[in-house]
Amino acid sequence: MDTSQFAPPTEPLTGEQQEIRRALRELLGGRAEAREGRAATAAPEERDTPLWTRLSATFGLAGLTLPEEYGGAGRGTVELALVGEETGRALVPSPLLATTVLAAPLLAALGTPAQRAALLPRIADSTLTCALAAPSGTALALGLTGDNTDGDWSGGGRAGGIQAARAADGGWRLYGEAAQVLDGDTAGLLLVAAHTGGFARSRTLLFLVPADAPGLVRTRQPALDRSRSRATVQFRDTGAELLGEEPADVLGALAATGRAAAVMLAAEAVGAAAAALDRAVGHLASRERSARSPHAARHRLADLRVQIGTARSLTYCAAREPGPGPHGGPLALAHALEALRATAEESLSREGEEHPYLERAASDELLFGPARRLRARAAERTGLLGEEAA
């Protein structure tokens, strides 16, 4: 069966970018095949650490967007999208999202010279992994589903959240908890968004907490997508170090990180959707060999091809223009998540079958969506469809 009619179109890339894609796809091809046997959704302690080390050494994934002075690759958002598409295709369980995409940019943007010098090279050489802990959810902290300057989402004065208080020795102590923290149970360093100050000086700051800090309690949570480890993280009078110095535009840095994260997540979803489409095409070919030729299914797969292609185009437009424009990350992510869910549902071969693509779609919508809120946020930021966004 000729499957070319169902293959999603590719975005124009430079020769170097095409070579990165080819090499990544070749290296991760075995993971994609093993995925069907659930190897790609193993528990974090069973992750292929040598693979992550190799990806970091060969492609610079751990420090992909970090400056070269810290051992990073100095790449941009387009390369981030390209890497996300290929790792999403293979559903590779790795620290890429939590460490490279969420934590590293915040450390680079807000850290003091000493903090950057101490931490960024360790991230770049893959010896340090990180997690971002935000009490009201990562999506809101990053400004993906709402304005992170609107309301005190980090906990100010309310039950719950995370509070930061000055200690007698001049340091900081944290109290409270955050749930659904990506890689929160395995990361060597936590970046914690916490509220501090009274009414007049109420503000959100970021703090550094090492994995062995006294008073830190981490509990792994069940997850729909077993390739994305999540945990509840509690701070019980836990010592912490302020990230950077005051005053700092913490909320602005979180929003900027969110725009890049949305692009990478969208690219991951596009890659996973393309792999799910391949699976659906295989099921269709099997049915046709058994003398059942479902023409309606062929039309459905063609429609899905267009949907994935649209999501891919939006993703790379957002990668090339990462600001809050009309083709921003939240809009691309909304389209990509819907394409992934639709394609994953189409590729189910039988009722009750375990399906890692469907698990990824459901998990990402819970953590970073839903799609309707991502669209509303995109409309709000661009001033389009203001009444609908409100």
Side-chain angles (χ1 to χ4, degrees), residues 37-65:
R38 309 300 299 172
T41 52
E45 59 270 22
E46 297 170 351
R47 282 180 179 172
D48 193 345
T49 301
L51 175 63
W52 174 242
T53 302
R54 183 178 177 186
L55 288 170
S56 298
T58 305
F59 302 99
L61 261 59
L64 188 65
T65 60

Side-chain angles (χ1 to χ4, degrees), residues 273-290:
L277 183 63
D278 290 342
R279 177 173 174 160
V281 170
H283 293 163
L284 175 60
S286 177
R287 289 195 295 271
E288 290 186 346
R289 284 195 297 270
S290 63

